[in-house]
Amino acid sequence: MFQDSKAFSGFSVNDLDAAKAFYGDKLGLTVHEVAEGLVLEVNGNSNNIFIYPKPDHVPAAYTILNFPVDDIDQTAQALTDAGISLEQYEGMTDEHGIARGISAHRGPDILWFKDPAGNILSALHEPERQ
């Protein structure tokens, strides 16, 4: 039914200006303003990501966007240097905010952080993805 559809992902925020600054300036993504919201260009993704305003926005309680990276430690440092706090999950993340899944044979090395609207994002390193 949808195999030829040009599907795309989207999520809400409560402040488009804050989202534009965060995704564009802090994360370095190309952000386009459109009449209904913002569009993120993500390299390697055949479809863009749509961000729309929602006055009664409630942050997602799950990870809405995952960024595969080559070096999780370097990414953690770059995010911290950009003023982005990494989420700490007791018993899961180390002092740097990274869950070391590879060495524990439990999936990728991953870290989580939030956008200004409180939505959860991640960066992950999984050697076989590279």
Side-chain angles (χ1 to χ4, degrees):
M1 177 186 290
F2 296 117
Q3 63 271 27
D4 296 323
S5 175
K6 298 291 184 195
F8 63 93
S9 178
F11 58 89
S12 71
V13 297
N14 56 356
D15 184 336
L16 281 180
D17 290 333
K20 183 179 180 187
F22 179 80
Y23 287 97
D25 299 338
K26 292 202 179 238
L27 299 188
L29 298 173
T30 300
V31 180
H32 300 285
E33 292 184 43
V34 295
E36 304 85 12
L38 303 172
V39 173
L40 299 180
E41 282 186 29
V42 181
N43 187 26
N45 192 359
S46 61
N47 296 311
N48 296 320
I49 299 163
F50 179 60
I51 300 175
Y52 56 93
K54 189 170 184 234
D56 60 346
H57 166 77
V58 175
Y62 53 86
T63 306
I64 63 162
L65 193 55
N66 300 283
F67 295 97
V69 298
D70 291 329
D71 187 322
I72 196 77
D73 292 289
Q74 183 180 43
T75 300
Q77 187 63 55
L79 288 167
T80 302
D81 290 349
I84 298 170
S85 297
L86 303 182
E87 295 298 298
Q88 291 287 340
Y89 298 108
E90 190 172 332
M92 188 176 201
T93 53
D94 65 16
E95 68 276 7
H96 304 289
I98 301 169
R100 305 284 178 177
I102 294 172
S103 62
H105 306 289
R106 293 186 317 209
D109 288 345
I110 188 167
L111 60 80
W112 294 271
F113 58 102
K114 293 181 179 177
D115 74 3
N119 294 313
I120 301 169
L121 313 172
S122 84
L124 59 103
H125 174 72
E126 192 169 29
E128 56 273 7
R129 280 189 175 268
Q130 305 304 318

